[in-house]
Structures are given as C-alpha cells and as structure tokens.
C-alpha cells in the first residue's frame, strides 16, 4: 500500500520502518515543519493515512482524509469529546475511520480480560476496584485513552461502579483512576480488586512503542477497501 504518515515523531518513525519492512511505501510524511503539505490533493496519492499527532489538530486531519476519500487510522488520543462530530464527518463522505484507544495487540487482549474479570467479580462482597496508569512525561492527556476504555468497559460489566474519577471518590459507585507521568515509560495499566484479606491484580506493561506501531500498520492494512467505523475488535475478531 501507499501510506501517508500524519505526524512524524517518535511513533511515526517506528511506524515508517515497520511499514517499509512489510512491503509498503510511505508517500507523504507530515510533521510540524511541513504542515502546508497536508492537503486533500497530496492525501489522494495514498491508499491509507495513519495519524499520530495531538488532540488539537487531529479532528481537522481526519476530515481532510475523509475529503480525500482514503481510510484514516487514528492513533491520537484526547479528542473523544468530539467523537460524534468525527463520525458525522466520516458518514457524510462515506469514509473509513479506524479508531483504537490503543493499537497494541496485547492491550486489546487485556481489554477482553478486563471485561471477563469484571463479570467474575460482580456481586463479590468486600472488594473494591481501582486503576493506575503510568506513562512517559511527554504524554499530554490524563488519564490515558486506554485507561478510559478500560474504565468504561469495566463499568459496563461491573454494576458496583457507575462512573470513574481522578479525584477522591465521592461515593462507593465511583472508581478511582490514578495517572502518573514518569520518565520514558511506554505505558503501564493496572487494575486492582482489593478486600480486607487479599487482592487480585491484572496488569499490562508495554516494553516499547513497537507494539503500538505494529498494531497501527496492521490496522492500516485491514482498513484498505473497507468503509465505516473499524476497531481492534474487528481486526482481532474479538
């Protein structure tokens, strides 16, 4: 495939290498120095776009891809309050939008494990659940998009919790999420069910950015020739 990279930072460079290793061609690379080249005309040269930028520019980037008629893989987090607008733009152009809060294959299996454990813990007296996520100091949003996905899916499967908060919980129905920013940590997500006598913990810890980058390239491959909203559940058949 011919791939457009919108965002050419650390993640973009890893994606580029993985894509080339898998036989793809990078036909457009956009970073802060050449944003004027991000046009519908240039995007039409690509079969698919992979977007890893910042929340403030992501929405406009997605719209350009829809106008160019190419699928876009969304790797940016922190823009979900505008999700309905993005999906409306996609539908208006009969576009293709692959969204994941995290492209790591392991994390998406962790999502499934989180839902299953929440179902098993439902109705078990004496346990309370909380979450901690740790990322590098350059990550701008908190909690992470992955933590939000974990929290929302836990709440859907665990009636004891109805909402989440980063502050001190105001009621037993609120789940606390702690967000730490330390060094160069690629990403750790830990969910803990604790009682007076024991605790159960599940955790996913990324060793590097490569897992996320590989997932983004696989998502780009999967998006080619498809329409509508796509997710990692589609890709992994979960």
């Amino acid at each position: 495939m011919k791939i457009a990279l919108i965002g050419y930072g650390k993640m973009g460079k890893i994606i580029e290498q993985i894509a080339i290793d898998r036989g793809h061609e990078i036909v457009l690379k956009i970073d802060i120095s050449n944003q004027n080249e991000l046009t519908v005309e240039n995007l039409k040269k690509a079969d698919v776009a992979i977007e890893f930028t910042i929340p403030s520019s992501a929405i406009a980037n997605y719209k350009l891809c829809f106008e160019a008629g190419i699928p876009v893989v969304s790797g940016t987090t922190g823009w979900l309050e505008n999700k309905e607008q993005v999906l409306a733009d996609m539908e208006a152009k009969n576009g293709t939008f692959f969204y994941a809060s995290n492209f790591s294959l392991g994390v998406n299996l962790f999502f499934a494990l989180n839902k299953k454990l929440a179902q098993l813990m439902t109705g078990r007296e004496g346990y309370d659940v909380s979450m901690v996520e740790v990322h590098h100091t350059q990550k701008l949003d908190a909690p992470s998009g992955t933590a939000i996905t974990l929290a929302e899916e836990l709440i859907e499967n665990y009636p004891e919790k109805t909402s989440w908060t980063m502050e001190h919980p105001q009621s037993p129905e609120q789940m606390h999420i702690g967000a730490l920013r330390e060094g160069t940590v690629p990403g750790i997500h830990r969910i803990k069910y604790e009682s007076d006598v024991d605790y159960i913990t599940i955790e996913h810890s990324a060793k590097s950015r490569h897992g996320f980058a590989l997932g983004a390239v696989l998502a780009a491959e999967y998006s080619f020739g498809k329409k509508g909203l796509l997710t990692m559940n589609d890709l992994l058949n979960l």
Side-chain angles (χ1 to χ4, degrees):
M1 296 187 306
K2 295 180 178 179
I3 297 176
L5 292 180
I6 307 174
Y8 193 57
K10 293 177 181 177
M11 183 65 78
K13 290 179 174 64
I14 299 172
I15 289 172
E16 177 183 35
Q17 189 57 58
I18 290 174
I20 290 171
D21 289 345
R22 292 177 67 85
H24 305 302
E25 179 185 359
I26 308 300
V27 295
L28 182 65
K29 292 185 283 191
I30 300 295
D31 64 15
I32 196 168
S33 67
N34 69 335
Q35 292 184 18
N36 61 304
E37 295 180 24
L38 183 55
T39 64
V40 170
E41 182 180 1
N42 282 338
L43 286 169
K44 284 183 176 179
K45 300 174 185 176
D47 296 315
V48 61
I50 301 177
E51 204 271 2
F52 273 84
T53 61
I54 57 176
S56 59
S57 60
I59 308 300
N61 294 341
Y62 302 150
K63 191 169 185 177
L64 283 174
C65 293
F66 300 147
E67 291 177 4
I70 64 170
V72 56
V73 174
S74 163
T76 303
T77 59
W79 55 269
L80 285 181
E81 66 273 13
N82 296 304
K83 187 175 181 180
E84 293 305 315
Q85 175 193 334
V86 171
L87 295 182
D89 290 341
M90 176 198 73
E91 291 172 1
K93 296 294 183 179
N94 191 29
T96 308
F97 185 63
F98 194 115
Y99 168 71
S101 59
N102 192 306
F103 282 92
S104 161
L105 304 185
V107 163
N108 283 275
L109 295 172
F110 188 66
F111 286 154
L113 177 61
N114 170 52
K115 289 189 283 188
K116 182 61 177 178
L117 181 57
Q119 293 166 3
L120 290 172
M121 295 303 294
T122 296
R124 311 294 178 187
E125 292 186 6
Y127 285 93
D128 193 24
V129 63
S130 60
M131 187 190 313
V132 174
E133 57 100 341
V134 188
H135 281 87
H136 52 85
T137 54
Q138 293 177 317
K139 186 168 181 60
L140 300 178
D141 55 312
S144 67
T146 300
I148 292 173
T149 298
L150 286 164
E152 290 177 346
E153 292 183 346
L154 187 151
I155 288 166
E156 287 176 7
N157 291 276
Y158 189 68
E160 284 86 338
K161 297 295 181 183
T162 58
S163 63
W164 59 268
T165 180
M166 293 181 65
E167 309 300 327
H168 183 76
Q170 298 300 306
S171 72
E173 290 76 30
Q174 281 192 320
M175 181 179 72
H176 181 255
I177 300 178
L180 306 176
R181 298 293 175 261
E182 299 176 353
T184 58
V185 177
I188 299 170
H189 294 86
R190 182 182 306 117
I191 298 169
K192 184 177 185 179
Y193 292 82
E194 185 168 11
S195 73
D196 291 338
V197 296
D198 61 10
Y199 62 84
I200 300 169
T201 302
I202 58 172
E203 175 180 308
H204 179 274
S205 182
K207 294 182 178 181
S208 72
R209 298 172 188 263
H210 283 76
F212 310 115
L214 173 60
V217 175
L218 293 174
E221 294 173 354
Y222 183 81
S223 300
F224 186 68
K226 296 183 175 65
K227 293 292 183 181
L229 177 64
L230 306 172
T231 70
M232 291 297 285
N233 284 348
D234 300 313
L235 174 61
L236 296 173
N237 196 28
L238 291 175

